[in-house]
Amino acid sequence: MPLLYVSVGVLILIFLIMKLKLNTFFSLIIVSFIVALLLGIPLEDIGLIVENGLGSTLGHIALIFGLGAMLGKLIADAGGANRIAMTLINKFGKEKIHWAVVIASFIVGIALFYEVAFVLIVPIIFTIAKEVKISIVKLILHMSAALLITHSFLPPHPGITTVANGLGADVGTVLLYGLIISIPCVIIAGVIYPNIAKRIVPSAFEKVTPDGVFKEEKTFKIEETPGFGISVFTAMLPVILLAIAAVIKIIEEALNYHDGFIFMVLRFIGEPSTAMIISLLVAIYTMGIKRNIAMVDLMKSCTKSINSIGMMLLIIGGGGAFKQVIIEGGVGEYIAEIFEGSALSPVLFAWILAAILRIALGSGTVAAISTVGLVTPMLAMNPDVNLALVTLAIGCGSTICSHVNDAAFWIVKEYSGMTLKETFGTYTVLSTISSVIGLVCTLILDLFV
């Protein structure tokens, strides 16, 4: 019954948004209350659970999202995004620009969380779409596939790293295997599928630059824009800082030394929030002060960026409220009971559990981490299983079927300007392809390692 109640909630949500045309945030809150009642959560607890779900979700991403939006807007308004876009177009050519997007997104996605990387890259995506006259949806799908796969398959991202530690798998081995399976996943889901989706959901690809939060209104002469090097450095600075922190963490663990002052400082500047603050300050200088742009104009750009993402943050928070209701309603425990005593292959079993939790809970990270406790009893009965591959199977399962209870679903929908139906036909299918291809590659790898 818990899974049935969640399914009913999803159907009601789709009806409210698509048929009654209710605001998405309002619809998510209504459905959160309905599902909470169906799951038998005490009446006096429902409001607090909804508030906690909304607050915990926004508490995780609001600061990073807001600073990232400001950073992206400054780079776009100064012409930095235009310079990067034109250089990539000239380097790869218009016919191969999708490879430039995929490769850049993959590199950035290794070090940055999905939401942070998305916000940093999307201004460049909008500029490329405008210059090449290509669908913004197509480019966002190329980008999203690379970011989703790196976020779910590769350490040091929190979900896969926590799973590896929980299962006792070697993080370095998980990273190596993850890179191996990521390549075919990105090619199939991120390069091939968007071309297929264009025929399946043609309406989603009609607009080149929909009214998204980073629609670039200005036109620039190339000589008026910041240099390519400084533009890339400004956009990539959060990646650099986070990468430094990741390397420091590896060194600390190898040396078993955690008390050095320099290490402590590097860890501090490599925290996502700190890295974004430092990067924004650098952008104010490189994209503004250095180019004799008045501070008042720079702050206007920052303000516009926040105004444009206000409703998006509420929608993402609403998705977090829905997720929290599902978690507090005991859906995870119910799924564990269903699979108790199962004799499936540990790798396949781990993927199935993570996939079910992902569909039910929305958050890939929560689904991945929650799966650890469910697969541990089976792993104890299979001491020879490759823990790195089980870890990757969980990571693959945690990407499947992104839909209305997943924050990334709403991020892609709102930035691309797609309808709910179009987002299902593009991003939901893309995430499912990533998951299935990842599982297939993991099973093949299991034959040789």
Side-chain angles (χ1 to χ4, degrees):
M1 295 304 292
L3 291 179
L4 176 61
Y5 294 149
V6 173
S7 300
V8 169
V10 171
L11 291 175
I12 293 174
L13 181 63
I14 294 171
F15 175 78
L16 293 176
I17 295 173
M18 297 184 67
K19 295 298 182 181
L20 299 186
K21 308 298 182 184
L22 285 185
N23 173 273
T24 303
F25 169 69
F26 187 39
S27 299
L28 281 165
I29 298 301
I30 291 174
V31 169
S32 297
F33 275 87
I34 292 174
V35 173
L37 290 170
L38 292 175
L39 290 173
I41 295 176
L43 294 177
E44 63 271 17
D45 295 338
I46 294 176
L48 183 59
I49 290 172
V50 169
E51 292 174 7
N52 288 340
L54 190 148
S56 63
T57 301
L58 292 183
H60 172 61
I61 69 170
L63 178 60
I64 297 172
F65 219 66
L67 294 174
M70 291 181 185
L71 177 61
K73 186 64 173 173
L74 286 177
I75 296 172
D77 284 353
N82 186 274
R83 167 74 78 162
I84 295 172
M86 293 307 298
T87 303
L88 289 174
I89 291 169
N90 293 333
K91 183 70 175 178
F92 284 84
K94 294 183 179 181
E95 293 76 16
K96 297 181 180 179
I97 193 62
H98 57 286
W99 283 108
V101 172
V102 168
I103 292 171
S105 301
F106 190 87
I107 294 172
V108 173
I110 291 175
L112 283 181
F113 294 149
Y114 182 100
E115 296 89 348
V116 182
F118 193 105
V119 172
L120 287 178
I121 299 174
V122 78
I124 301 172
I125 295 295
F126 269 79
T127 305
I128 291 176
K130 180 181 177 182
E131 295 294 336
V132 183
K133 299 295 187 289
I134 190 173
S135 168
I136 186 66
V137 170
K138 189 170 185 291
L139 292 182
I140 283 182
L141 291 179
H142 292 317
M143 173 185 66
S144 298
L147 297 183
L148 175 65
I149 288 166
T150 53
H151 183 84
S152 303
F153 295 5
L154 304 179
H157 289 287
I160 194 75
T161 304
T162 304
V163 171
N165 292 333
L167 297 180
D170 180 70
V171 175
T173 304
V174 173
L175 177 60
L176 175 62
Y177 292 167
L179 287 170
I180 293 172
I181 71 171
S182 293
I183 295 173
C185 287
V186 169
I187 292 174
I188 295 173
V191 178
I192 296 176
Y193 177 69
N195 294 322
I196 299 174
K198 192 174 181 179
R199 295 193 290 269
I200 299 174
V201 195
S203 61
F205 296 81
E206 291 176 356
K207 293 182 180 180
V208 173
T209 51
D211 295 327
V213 297
F214 276 116
K215 183 177 180 180
E216 180 57 72
E217 297 291 352
K218 295 182 179 179
T219 56
F220 297 92
K221 294 180 180 180
I222 195 68
E223 60 271 14
E224 297 175 346
T225 61
F228 177 75
I230 194 64
S231 297
V232 171
F233 173 76
T234 303
M236 290 289 291
L237 185 55
V239 181
I240 296 170
L241 295 177
L242 286 172
I244 291 173
V247 171
I248 291 300
K249 182 178 180 181
I250 293 173
I251 294 174
E252 285 181 318
E253 292 178 352
L255 300 177
N256 194 25
Y257 179 72
H258 304 277
D259 300 324
F261 176 75
I262 295 178
F263 282 2
M264 180 179 68
V265 171
L266 292 175
R267 284 199 309 270
F268 171 71
I269 66 174
E271 287 291 326
S273 299
T274 311
M276 292 306 303
I277 292 173
I278 294 172
S279 300
L280 182 60
L281 291 172
V282 171
I284 290 173
Y285 175 75
T286 59
M287 297 291 109
I289 296 173
K290 186 178 179 181
R291 304 182 69 245
N292 297 317
I293 298 176
M295 184 63 70
V296 64
D297 293 328
L298 296 176
M299 293 303 101
K300 284 181 180 178
S301 292
C302 292
T303 301
K304 288 180 181 178
S305 71
I306 297 301
N307 290 341
S308 62
I309 67 171
M311 180 51 68
M312 185 185 302
L313 286 174
L314 284 178
I315 290 171
I316 294 169
F322 188 28
K323 174 202 71 179
Q324 193 66 31
V325 165
I326 294 171
I327 293 174
E328 297 292 340
V331 177
E333 289 82 355
Y334 176 74
I335 293 172
E337 293 176 6
I338 294 177
F339 284 92
E340 187 175 1
S342 174
L344 288 173
S345 157
V347 172
L348 182 59
F349 177 69
W351 180 85
I352 292 173
L353 279 180
I356 293 175
L357 286 172
R358 155 71 163 184
I359 295 171
L361 303 179
S363 169
T365 301
V366 172
I369 296 172
S370 301
T371 304
V372 174
L374 303 181
V375 300
T376 300
M378 172 175 277
L379 297 180
M381 296 184 293
N382 295 270
D384 296 329
V385 68
N386 189 313
L387 295 176
L389 293 182
V390 174
T391 300
L392 283 173
I394 293 174
C396 294
S398 70
T399 69
I400 199 169
C401 196
S402 172
H403 63 99
V404 294
N405 61 352
D406 178 23
F409 176 90
W410 297 109
I411 292 172
V412 171
K413 176 187 178 300
E414 296 302 315
Y415 269 95
S416 63
M418 288 189 286
T419 66
L420 202 60
K421 180 180 178 181
E422 290 168 346
T423 313
F424 281 129
T426 54
Y427 186 67
T428 300
V429 177
L430 181 150
S431 65
T432 302
I433 292 173
S434 301
S435 178
V436 174
I437 299 300
L439 171 65
V440 171
C441 292
T442 302
L443 293 174
I444 293 174
L445 199 57
D446 193 27
L447 299 175
F448 299 98
V449 297

